[in-house]
Amino acid sequence: KAGVTQTPRYLIKTRGQQVTLSCSPISGHRSVSWYQQTPGQGLQFLFEYFSETQRNKGNFPGRFSGRQFSNSRSEMNVSTLELGDSALYLCASSLPGATNEKLFFGSGTQLSVL
Amino acid sequence: DQQVKQNSPSLSVQEGRISILNCDYTNSMFDYFLWYKKYPAEGPTFLISISSIKDKNEDGRFTVFLNKSAKHLSLHIVPSQPGDSAVYFCAAIDSGTYKYIFGTGTRLKVLA
């Protein structure tokens, strides 16, 4: 079974631009969540989608948005990039309807904002 | 507001000894806890979990202890091996809201 796939692996953008990151979950997984990892801040929860609906949202500004498609693939968009958005963005998927299920993570997209 | 805290950013342990990683939480609604391990340039991978109705769960060299009254959990690795060198994240789940919260991580270095 293929794992969680995130594209692109690396991305360099300049301030003010926007970016879209993509995540393909493990086949059969319907929950997809996104996290931001920065040094010293751990994994900060961005949002979670289940069956194309945003089920939970973290404390990030509205510049961060996401969506999930009918095939469970998900995209995350950041508009008007700021230097502080430089981070590793991780996507994770889990089994349908599970509440205490472990997450399966992709390798992440390393975003650098110059 | 950091609801899940790992107060030790790093830990060094000699190979063969015990590694103890700690985690504290503030939300009494958390009812499931997990530990993940992360190597550089890879996503975190699941290690071990524990339900709030238990106080201990063991899997090979890894044991997680939960003290609900103190809102504290710990991960014990015995014996520690150089391949265990990684960043360890504890996580908590509020099953009512499906919210999954991670701590800030502890970097473990096992010295050969």
Side-chain angles (χ1 to χ4, degrees):
Chain A
K1 214 179 210 184
V4 177
T5 304
Q6 289 188 248
T7 56
R9 189 74 179 88
Y10 300 95
L11 207 48
I12 299 175
K13 292 285 188 178
T14 55
R15 277 186 303 172
Q17 287 187 310
Q18 76 161 14
V19 66
T20 299
L21 311 182
S22 180
C23 173
S24 293
I26 291 172
S27 177
H29 286 193
R30 284 164 56 193
S31 171
V32 174
S33 50
W34 290 87
Y35 292 84
Q36 181 195 65
Q37 185 189 7
T38 53
Q41 292 296 314
L43 297 172
Q44 300 288 309
F45 173 70
L46 281 152
F47 26 67
E48 185 230 351
Y49 288 87
F50 180 75
S51 293
E52 302 179 65
T53 301
Q54 187 180 85
R55 187 160 65 175
N56 272 304
K57 189 177 189 305
N59 299 321
F60 278 80
R63 300 185 297 106
F64 292 81
S65 63
R67 59 178 176 168
Q68 187 181 33
F69 302 96
S70 58
N71 62 358
S72 293
R73 192 177 71 83
S74 177
E75 287 182 348
M76 187 191 111
N77 186 76
V78 187
S79 62
T80 320
L81 283 166
E82 300 177 359
L83 295 178
D85 297 333
S86 295
L88 178 67
Y89 290 88
L90 291 159
C91 164
S93 72
S94 62
L95 286 169
T99 55
N100 296 331
E101 277 297 327
K102 58 189 179 186
L103 300 178
F104 292 83
F105 283 87
S107 296
T109 294
Q110 184 68 54
L111 173 65
S112 296
V113 182
L114 307 178
Chain B
D1 176 31
Q2 192 70 33
Q3 296 185 64
V4 179
K5 301 177 186 179
Q6 293 177 256
N7 293 317
S8 298
S10 65
L11 175 69
S12 290
V13 171
Q14 207 66 36
E15 181 180 6
R17 299 290 190 110
I18 184 172
S19 294
I20 300 177
L21 294 91
N22 295 304
C23 180
D24 297 295
Y25 61 97
T26 58
N27 190 341
S28 58
M29 297 303 292
F30 291 146
D31 50 8
Y32 203 76
F33 304 89
L34 308 91
W35 284 93
Y36 286 79
K37 178 168 73 173
K38 185 181 185 299
Y39 292 119
E42 296 180 14
T45 55
F46 169 77
L47 196 55
I48 192 169
S49 62
I50 187 167
S51 165
S52 60
I53 62 174
K54 295 185 176 181
D55 54 18
K56 177 183 174 181
N57 187 28
E58 195 171 350
D59 183 4
R61 297 186 298 115
F62 302 90
T63 303
V64 56
F65 294 92
L66 175 63
N67 183 333
K68 279 193 71 178
S69 60
K71 293 192 176 69
H72 176 83
L73 65 154
S74 61
L75 174 68
H76 292 209
I77 306 174
V78 183
S80 301
Q81 300 173 354
D84 296 329
S85 297
V87 177
Y88 290 78
F89 291 98
C90 69
I93 302 177
D94 178 345
S95 295
T97 61
Y98 301 99
K99 281 198 173 179
Y100 210 117
I101 307 296
F102 282 85
T104 51
T106 296
R107 182 178 301 277
L108 172 66
K109 189 171 183 179
V110 180
L111 307 168

